Amino acid sequence: MSRLSLVLHFIRRDLRNRYLGTFSGGLWALVQPLVQLAVYGFVFVYVFKAAAPGANAPGFVPFLALGLWPWTAFSEGLSRATTTIQDNAPLIRKIAMPREVLVCAAVASAFLIHGLGFCAIAVALWMFGVPIDLVSLPFALLTFAQLFLLGLGFAFLFAALQVFVRDLSPALPQLLMLWMFASPIFYARDSFPEQYRSWLQINPFAHYPESLRASMLHFGSIGWRADATALLVAVCVLVAGWAVFRRLNPHFEDFL
Amino acid sequence: MSDVLAEATDLAKAYPLVFRPRDRVRALWHLLAGGGRAESVTVLKNVNLQVRRGESLALIGENGAGKSTLLKLLTGVLTPTTGCVKINARVGALLELGAGFHPEYSGRDNIALAAALYGLDARETQTKIPQIVEFADIGHYIDEPVKHYSSGMVVRLGFAIVASLKPDLLITDEVLAVGDEAFQKKCVSWIEDYLAGGGTLILVSHSMYHVKKLCRHACWLKHGEIAAMGDVFAVTQAYQAYQEGKSAPLAATRANVFGQNLEFCLVELTLNGNSRAEEPLDLAQGDTLRVRVRVRSRDGRVPVVLFGIARVDGTPVYGVASDMDGVRPRRDADDMYSIGIAFGDLALLPGVYIVRAHPFDPEGVRLFDTLERSLVINGQSREIGMVRLTHSWIGVEADTRERAGAAS
């Protein structure tokens, strides 16, 4: 119980300090992925002249938006959580505290911000006349919650490893970039070269943009087996990440 | 009342040796695979201790003896390599200055965080904040990031937080060393009230004065092991004697003094016939203290010799020079004089004192040399101060009940 309130405390502190001293405050949370969306939208639609990704997809921008927001939440949560143990070393070295709280808070605050951003962009797209299915927004948020579990699992793993292997955090942006382009965010699975398409199978993130598009844009469809597999994978990653974290946790202080 | 709040059993801690990044990876592999241990350096071993409710324990020892490591193990910040720690209390800890502050956040934010980590809810925290701010007394700095604080302010804030939490067990590491005098007094009087109210304390300090003032028990850590544990006076005496023994290279510095060929220098200082500098002299109240020195006089002139007794912290208790009483040292040889003084029926109260001797020129103006020895007065007196002044009570009746109680 006290752990939960600690997580909430750290989330509050994180949110407050992130946008403290900026003019628009919390608006930045929305502005940053919006700018990203605008840039990618412009480059892909006007420069690369990307065709609409599928016959029944309503344009590239909504297609992209449904991939970009979950990715932003996932990647930001991961990169913040990876260094969180190291960043809070002054605290960890002097106070006996449940360290997992720090990791949870880092991931949760990213998902909170970009989850809200996702809702906002969905409503905005709907107001601009994009045939987006707002009724399935709660289902989309459930998908987000599942993605949170997956992200948390990776976050535990990376945060624990980072304490020992400091190369992880400088390598992480490259890794995330690779991961982003290896996920069906800018493209649909169908437009991926056929001989490499099976590679998407091993990408645990690939499921999420597709699932969101299926529920909110009715673009493509996801079988229940794919849903179940994704859930299983998320839970397995979480359990494995937690196991590694718990194993290494008692030794953090020695290596910080 | 005798419940154990903190208990350490066969505690040992070894830090892994990680000079190169490669070592970190290897250590990671060892930990994950659960295989053999990586190379490590032992900083603490075979530590067994118990702290009961209402006790006050001081940890003393040289730098690097493992005091802070032991505190970290007791608070649970560190995981012991072997052995175990059991804590049955709400612990308020102040480790290595500052209760774990984040340098980027303001004092207020850090208070809120410390309170949350201690398990207070938002409402309790709100009621405590004004109290903490007042105790810390650091003015507008409370809203500045902690990185702009002086080390004294960090300690003030840290202590104020711990004080407001009123923990069952207070664990502090050298807090008293950094604050200014006014704040030290505030801390000491707070700790005294806290102990009087049934609080339990584990304190690390290099100030034997504070240790003896605040703690009833002491534990002396030497090279990661307990060298002595028990009554605070016995342990601090043993420790101070050891410390003085270590500064026995004093002999070397003495040689230096001789080498400088000063006009007057002290050759020997004996207390009650004992001239070994590393041993403090143990006396009881009312004993006789005999101090003798031999002085070498380069030009054969007769020195003036001053004898003094001071507290460990340097406060003079009494000093007298030979010329004040109209006496001169006896001439033993051409360039050698000796003189002694006896303090009978010693009025000093129990504690540790320093006996000093200085030779002056015949005019009693220039000081040439100093020799010091420790003097320990043993006793159980509850009187206050440094010396017992001759006194008699006026207009009183004998309290036979109280005397009987005191005698038993």
Side-chain angles (χ1 to χ4, degrees):
Chain A
M1 227 24 236
S2 73
R3 255 163 228 225
L4 185 65
S5 67
L6 263 185
V7 172
L8 291 177
H9 182 95
F10 276 105
I11 293 177
R12 260 206 309 277
R13 187 171 90 156
D14 188 40
L15 293 185
R16 198 148 52 84
N17 284 281
R18 223 174 203 199
Y19 303 111
L20 213 66
T22 60
F23 282 114
S24 50
L27 267 183
W28 270 114
L30 196 58
V31 169
Q32 181 224 336
L34 262 182
V35 170
Q36 241 182 327
L37 181 67
V39 170
Y40 286 135
F42 179 81
V43 169
F44 280 92
V45 176
Y46 292 101
V47 181
F48 295 163
K49 310 247 183 326
N56 49 354
F60 189 72
V61 170
F63 172 86
L64 185 57
L66 292 190
L68 211 49
W69 256 267
W71 174 255
T72 312
F74 181 78
S75 63
E76 194 183 298
L78 202 51
S79 55
R80 286 172 91 83
T82 301
T83 54
T84 188
I85 297 291
Q86 218 181 326
D87 294 343
N88 285 287
L91 203 60
I92 288 177
R93 270 204 286 258
K94 286 179 191 166
I95 290 186
M97 59 174 294
R99 284 87 179 251
E100 58 271 21
V101 162
L102 294 170
V103 178
C104 290
V107 181
S109 76
F111 270 83
L112 212 64
I113 289 175
H114 298 297
L116 282 176
F118 177 78
C119 297
I121 199 73
V123 173
L125 286 173
W126 176 77
M127 290 199 307
F128 280 110
V130 174
I132 200 162
D133 186 1
L134 281 188
V135 179
S136 48
L137 190 58
F139 295 102
L141 291 180
L142 272 181
T143 313
F144 251 80
Q146 189 182 323
L147 180 61
F148 171 74
L149 297 185
L150 181 76
L152 195 60
F154 279 112
F156 276 133
L157 181 69
F158 284 17
L161 292 182
Q162 166 66 16
V163 174
F164 294 84
V165 189
R166 296 285 163 86
D167 303 56
L168 190 56
S169 77
L172 196 63
Q174 277 72 38
L175 181 72
L176 285 175
M177 168 113 91
L178 209 67
W179 200 342
M180 176 168 79
F181 284 103
S183 305
I185 297 170
F186 301 101
Y187 48 82
R189 193 185 283 256
D190 299 339
S191 43
F192 210 60
E194 195 153 2
Q195 67 264 44
Y196 302 120
R197 204 171 295 166
S198 58
W199 289 19
L200 287 180
Q201 300 279 359
I202 58 164
N203 179 354
F205 180 79
H207 168 77
Y208 296 90
E210 290 176 340
S211 164
L212 288 174
R213 284 167 192 152
S215 61
M216 296 197 73
L217 289 178
H218 302 297
F219 172 74
S221 64
I222 303 279
W224 67 269
R225 291 177 83 138
D227 275 333
T229 315
L231 183 62
L232 191 69
V233 167
V235 170
C236 287
V237 168
L238 182 58
V239 169
W242 174 237
V244 170
F245 187 86
R246 235 182 54 168
R247 176 122 203 177
L248 298 179
N249 183 16
H251 307 280
F252 284 170
E253 221 270 355
D254 298 349
F255 291 88
L256 276 174
Chain B
M1 277 306 279
S2 70
D3 48 343
V4 177
L5 293 195
E7 183 172 22
T9 322
D10 292 329
L11 207 57
K13 177 71 192 174
Y15 283 110
L17 285 171
V18 280
F19 297 121
R20 296 157 300 179
R22 217 172 65 205
D23 295 334
R24 307 177 76 93
V25 178
R26 192 177 307 140
L28 172 65
W29 177 248
H30 279 307
L31 290 173
L32 281 178
R37 299 208 155 270
E39 277 179 89
S40 59
V41 52
T42 304
V43 290
L44 208 61
K45 55 179 183 277
N46 303 331
V47 172
N48 285 289
L49 60 83
Q50 269 193 351
V51 178
R52 296 170 189 281
R53 187 179 293 282
E55 248 183 337
S56 47
L57 175 74
L59 295 178
I60 56 176
E62 297 149 284
N63 292 335
K67 303 183 296 292
S68 297
T69 304
L70 179 53
L71 286 197
K72 284 185 169 187
L73 287 168
L74 288 176
T75 49
V77 171
L78 277 180
T79 318
T81 309
T82 58
C84 68
V85 172
K86 273 193 225 122
I87 297 285
N88 287 314
R90 298 236 290 180
V91 178
L94 214 47
L95 300 179
E96 292 175 353
L97 318 179
F101 294 141
H102 198 295
E104 297 292 334
Y105 295 113
S106 76
R108 259 178 227 281
D109 283 348
N110 274 299
I111 293 174
L113 177 64
L117 285 170
Y118 191 72
L120 299 188
D121 61 32
R123 196 156 7 92
E124 284 174 291
T125 309
Q126 281 310 315
T127 59
K128 288 213 186 285
I129 283 182
Q131 190 182 329
I132 295 171
V133 171
E134 195 202 321
F135 194 103
D137 190 21
I138 55 173
H140 66 276
Y141 275 98
I142 197 74
D143 293 309
E144 297 277 320
V146 168
K147 64 181 172 187
H148 293 163
Y149 284 24
S150 72
S151 50
M153 290 184 209
V154 172
V155 172
R156 275 164 173 262
L157 186 59
F159 194 87
I161 291 174
V162 170
S164 79
L165 296 176
K166 295 205 173 57
D168 303 328
L169 174 59
L170 174 62
I171 296 184
T172 80
D173 191 355
E174 279 300 349
V175 260
L176 300 166
V178 180
D180 56 29
E181 210 164 311
F183 191 73
Q184 276 191 20
K185 279 189 186 145
K186 205 166 166 181
C187 289
V188 168
S189 81
W190 185 87
I191 294 178
E192 281 177 330
D193 287 349
Y194 165 79
L195 289 173
T200 311
L201 172 73
I202 300 179
L203 169 85
V204 164
S205 181
H206 288 289
S207 152
M208 292 305 129
Y209 168 72
H210 285 133
V211 164
K212 280 184 270 191
K213 193 170 168 60
L214 296 172
C215 299
R216 262 180 289 161
H217 295 97
C219 166
W220 168 18
L221 282 176
K222 190 163 133 193
H223 308 309
E225 286 183 280
I226 295 182
M229 183 147 66
D231 176 69
V232 68
F233 289 101
V235 176
T236 50
Q237 266 167 37
Y239 172 63
Q240 279 176 315
Y242 165 78
Q243 283 286 78
E244 274 152 26
K246 275 192 63 177
S247 46
L250 199 78
T253 54
R254 297 296 307 161
N256 216 348
V257 171
F258 298 141
Q260 281 177 0
N261 199 16
L262 291 170
E263 204 175 331
F264 298 99
C265 68
L266 292 164
V267 180
E268 190 184 42
L269 170 69
T270 55
L271 297 188
N272 288 12
N274 183 342
S275 64
R276 270 171 300 173
E278 63 275 14
E279 285 176 19
L281 178 69
D282 279 284
L283 286 180
Q285 277 177 282
D287 280 359
T288 300
L289 170 68
R290 289 187 195 79
V291 191
R292 292 189 65 83
V293 289
R294 296 206 297 141
V295 187
R296 199 179 68 185
S297 166
R298 192 183 63 199
D299 309 325
R301 297 207 296 157
V302 188
V304 164
V305 177
L306 186 144
F307 291 102
I309 296 177
R311 282 269 293 266
V312 181
D313 60 1
T315 316
V317 178
Y318 182 71
V320 63
S322 55
D323 64 339
M324 295 176 191
D325 289 354
V327 296
R328 293 165 52 149
R330 196 180 64 206
R331 185 175 193 143
D332 294 340
D334 275 356
D335 61 346
M336 202 59 81
Y337 288 86
S338 68
I339 186 168
I341 189 168
F343 296 99
D345 193 14
L346 216 49
L348 292 172
L349 292 179
V352 181
Y353 298 88
I354 297 166
V355 177
R356 287 196 180 122
H358 310 283
F360 285 80
D361 58 5
E363 293 73 36
V365 179
R366 284 179 64 203
L367 184 153
F368 286 91
D369 195 5
T370 303
L371 262 185
E372 289 186 353
R373 288 280 302 279
S374 293
L375 168 67
V376 179
I377 304 293
N378 295 306
Q380 298 287 329
S381 170
R382 284 163 59 201
E383 289 153 290
I384 295 152
M386 292 179 261
V387 293
R388 173 180 292 155
L389 298 180
T390 319
H391 61 274
S392 57
W393 297 98
I394 301 164
V396 290
E397 286 171 33
D399 186 348
T400 48
R401 179 180 50 84
E402 185 61 33
R403 287 191 65 83
S408 67

